[in-house]
Amino acid sequence: FDRRWNFIAMMPQWEFLDFVAEEAGHYPGFRLERNAEATGLVLDGGRVAGIEVGGREIRARLSIAADGRGSILREAAGFKVRDLGAPIDVFWFRVPKTRTPENETTGLFASGRIMALIDRGDYWQCAYVFPKGAAEAVRERGIDAFRAEVFGLAPQLGDLASVTGWDQVKLLSVSLDRLESWSRPGLLAIGDAAHAMSPIGGVGINLAVQDAVAAANALAGPMARGEDPDPLLPRVEKRRLPAVRLIQGFQKAAQDRIITPLLLRQGGAFDPPLALKLLNRFPILRRIPAALIGFGYKAEHVRSPEQGRLPGHRLL
Ligand SMILES: Cc1cc2nc3c(=O)[nH]c(=O)nc-3n(C[C@H](O)[C@H](O)[C@H](O)COP(=O)(O)OP(=O)(O)OC[C@H]3O[C@@H](n4cnc5c(N)ncnc54)[C@H](O)[C@@H]3O)c2cc1C
């Protein structure tokens, strides 16, 4: 493992998106439209010829469905979804914190309860994990009971006085699935729209970005030369599928072997699976999941004829 990269850089997603938009802005043909909700596909003789945004048509030689795990474009395209099953949902909320020199992001595990605390400087981004479908039952117990439960697991959050109502606690639905085919003529699905990732391991964004890089590497050159992108679309899926299968396999195993047994447990000690015991016993082995999460499997690298040509342009 390369010692030059033995650190983690945390970049909030909104800052990363601004960074991507700014970099893309160096290309004269790039235009970003905000608050433009895709409502359907424009079809032309069975081929996807663009997307509908409200009542407006935006036509394109190729449309990319990158609209996440609730993708309406993949549904409109009639793609078949293979549901791998996700037994959890998440309550997502913030609690103020005092800044610390070290990032204190952590995971907390106890029988029947799991939480992740993401250190965002002056606040904790908290993820409270519970069995899928149990949101109403948790809400019915009341916000005071919820605060007490969270405090029992994460005393570093204090009395959670800032969490005064359910309007501050957002329900995030977790999915784990993938399309049987990621493309049809004129349309390519990438990221969660092609393969919804669970939060386990915090790798979904990594995979989504790498899908975009693989798609750009496969398509940008030929499309710039005026070639038809349709025959190239299955290549993106073929290239990315091994990494998606592997990581989703790990997520499914973690769900089935660790998360579900922990959430179903009521008291008593948790007997972790052998893999976790080995990681605990031999710290050097932790480099394997760390590398898998940090670099991904079959990592993509940007290949572009523009590399280094545009002023202020940096490539990953
Ligand atoms: C609770 C939870 C926590 C997670 N935590 C992590 C983590 O810490 N690290 C990590 O790497 N992964 C995490 N994941 C997984 C990660 O969120 C996804 O894998 C990743 O965001 C996928 O990126 P994406 O760009 O494909 O989709 P998204 O990030 O979901 O982006 C889709 C975008 O499309 C927009 N959109 C949706 N519908 C439309 C429409 N009709 N028209 C126009 N725009 C639309 C959305 O507003 C959104 O901006 C988590 C997932 C969950 C559920």
Side-chain angles (χ1 to χ4, degrees), residues 13 36-38 66-69 72 90 92 172-174 190-193 197-199 202-206 208:
Q13 200 166 348
E37 187 184 346
D67 50 344
R69 62 188 183 280
I72 67 125
V90 170
W92 192 248
L172 294 183
S173 173
V174 176
I190 59 170
D192 270 21
M197 305 302 294
S198 131
V203 284
I205 295 168
N206 197 337

Side-chain angles (χ1 to χ4, degrees), residues 25-276:
H26 292 297
Y27 290 89
F30 177 78
R31 197 179 84 228
L32 175 64
E33 277 195 38
R34 295 180 193 268
N35 301 316
E37 187 184 346
T39 46
L41 295 169
V42 178
L43 294 176
D44 194 346
R47 187 178 186 279
V48 175
I51 56 165
E52 278 174 11
V53 174
R56 192 160 53 104
E57 285 187 357
I58 300 180
R59 292 196 162 243
R61 281 166 66 205
L62 175 65
S63 303
I64 305 280
D67 50 344
R69 62 188 183 280
S71 170
I72 67 125
L73 293 181
R74 77 178 189 181
E75 203 183 316
F79 288 138
K80 282 206 184 109
V81 182
R82 183 171 166 215
D83 189 0
L84 305 178
I88 51 170
D89 282 330
V90 170
F91 275 138
W92 192 248
F93 56 98
R94 292 178 178 195
V95 175
K97 84 178 271 288
T98 24
R99 282 183 185 275
T100 46
E102 294 289 313
N103 190 294
E104 296 183 340
T105 295
T106 186
L108 302 160
F109 300 84
S111 287
R113 289 167 302 164
I114 299 175
M115 277 194 76
L117 305 183
I118 303 166
D119 184 345
R120 295 245 167 99
D122 56 0
Y123 70 91
W124 291 108
Q125 179 62 63
C126 306
Y128 175 90
V129 181
F130 56 91
K132 193 169 259 314
E136 263 327 292
V138 179
R139 284 194 189 114
E140 270 167 19
R141 290 202 290 273
I143 195 77
D144 289 341
F146 177 69
R147 278 202 305 249
E149 207 167 306
V150 170
F151 177 73
L153 187 59
Q156 62 267 59
L157 295 180
D159 60 4
L160 287 102
S162 61
V163 183
T164 52
W166 289 112
D167 53 328
Q168 292 162 31
V169 181
K170 193 175 172 204
L171 171 64
L172 294 183
S173 173
V174 176
S175 316
L176 187 66
D177 64 37
R178 61 177 175 260
L179 300 181
E180 288 184 2
S181 166
W182 300 12
S183 65
R184 56 178 274 185
L187 180 73
L188 172 68
I190 59 170
D192 270 21
H195 47 79
M197 305 302 294
S198 131
I200 295 169
V203 284
I205 295 168
N206 197 337
L207 282 185
V209 170
Q210 296 201 52
D211 286 358
V213 171
N217 285 344
L219 301 168
M223 286 186 74
R225 292 192 294 273
E227 290 173 29
D228 176 6
D230 290 351
L232 302 173
L233 301 182
R235 288 194 199 168
V236 179
E237 173 182 344
K238 193 168 172 225
R239 184 171 173 95
R240 298 297 305 146
L241 194 56
V244 169
R245 272 209 191 110
L246 181 81
I247 303 292
Q248 286 191 327
F250 276 115
Q251 292 191 325
K252 176 99 179 104
Q255 278 180 184
D256 295 349
R257 304 285 309 281
I258 303 169
I259 306 287
T260 304
L262 254 177
L263 285 177
L264 293 179
R265 254 192 118 73
Q266 298 299 329
F270 172 63
D271 183 29
L274 179 64
L276 277 192

